[in-house]
Amino acid sequence: MPAEPKIAAVIPAAGSGSRMRSDVPKQYLAVHGKTLLQYAVEAVQNDPRVAHVFIAVNEQQHPISAKSVADISFVAGGKTRAESVLSGVLHAINQGYSHVLVHDAARPGLPASILTEVIDVGVSSDNGAIVAMPVRDSLKRSEPDQTIISQSVARDDLWQAQTPQIFAAELLADAISEVGIDNPNLTDEASAMEAMGYHPRLVMGSLDNIKVTHPDDLRWVATILKPS
Ligand SMILES: Nc1ccn([C@@H]2O[C@H](COP(=O)(O)OP(=O)(O)OP(=O)(O)O)[C@@H](O)[C@H]2O)c(=O)n1
Ligand SMILES: C[C@](O)(CO)[C@H](O)COP(=O)(O)O
């Protein structure tokens, strides 16, 4: 019988939030008195199978502490999202975790039911699993000047990736290392796994699981997140 998976969450939280144009990096912005990072951490703790949370931070923004408090450790992030994720994954492997569930600090509205489903699917597949949503709107490719349509793009079978994304920890660490932490195509964990020949499973996401990227997004998450 296969061993029970040991699951840790990895939260990349070392970004600068340049598109948000705020004084404070977006993961430290507060909505209803709690930071986006706190919401993201509490969201992944909603499933008791997540035994520990590794948060990858920029030391200029947040102290790094080897000491873990309430099943949370802060580890050094990196220059790219992939480098931050890899740092968290390597810490998880060092502490004996078999699987890692990666979730953006900038996605505060993850519903608990989606978390449970992606874990269920991810641990039962060698390919792992990600949360994603089918593309809804018509898709257009523009001319390079970004003002004129060059052509429409068929949207059949196209999905927008969200997080969480869950994989066997060692496979993901090898995949990210192989593809390279500076590779611009490495925008999520699944893309590293795909480059190694894996086909991660898709789990239906939600608009509530929006990534706060631009200033307008904050108004939207304020309506989704409930004041505690
Ligand atoms: N070097 C980096 C870059 C990003 N992230 C994290 O990756 C998540 C998703 O990335 P994104 O929304 O692109 O965040 P930023 O890189 O901070 O934003 P921007 O691209 O606008 O600068 C965020 O939780 C962000 O903190 C990270 O841990 N380390
Ligand atoms: C991982 C991700 O959130 C999935 O949608 C996304 O790819 C992060 O990309 P970004 O360029 O860092 O916003």
Side-chain angles (χ1 to χ4, degrees), residues 118 120-122 124-132 166-167 190 199-203:
V118 77
D120 287 347
V121 175
S124 62
S125 161
D126 293 339
N127 291 263
I130 80 164
V131 175
I166 180 168
F167 300 99
H199 294 277
R201 301 268 306 270
L202 292 164
V203 166

Side-chain angles (χ1 to χ4, degrees), residues 32-154:
H32 308 312
K34 253 186 344 196
T35 64
L36 299 186
L37 175 59
Q38 283 174 291
Y39 283 106
V41 171
E42 287 172 13
V44 297
Q45 290 176 322
N46 270 329
D47 190 303
R49 290 173 291 182
V50 174
H52 198 90
V53 184
F54 294 91
I55 307 176
V57 293
N58 175 336
E59 206 168 7
Q60 316 294 323
Q61 301 167 356
H62 193 289
I64 292 166
S65 157
K67 209 169 70 187
S68 76
V69 179
D71 303 322
I72 296 172
S73 311
F74 292 93
V75 303
K79 286 188 297 298
T80 62
R81 183 182 175 283
E83 190 175 11
S84 298
V85 169
L86 182 59
S87 167
V89 174
L90 293 175
H91 278 86
I93 292 170
N94 278 341
Q95 296 193 23
Y97 290 96
S98 64
H99 287 72
V100 282
L101 174 112
V102 180
H103 184 53
D104 289 327
R107 289 189 191 271
L110 171 68
S113 57
I114 294 179
L115 173 70
T116 298
E117 191 181 349
V118 77
I119 294 175
D120 287 347
V121 175
V123 297
S124 62
S125 161
D126 293 339
N127 291 263
I130 80 164
V131 175
M133 287 188 75
V135 167
R136 296 178 165 201
D137 299 325
S138 296
L139 287 181
K140 309 292 177 192
R141 188 182 306 286
S142 74
E143 296 293 347
D145 73 356
Q146 310 292 316
T147 66
I148 298 172
I149 294 172
S150 139
Q151 58 181 181
S152 289
V153 178

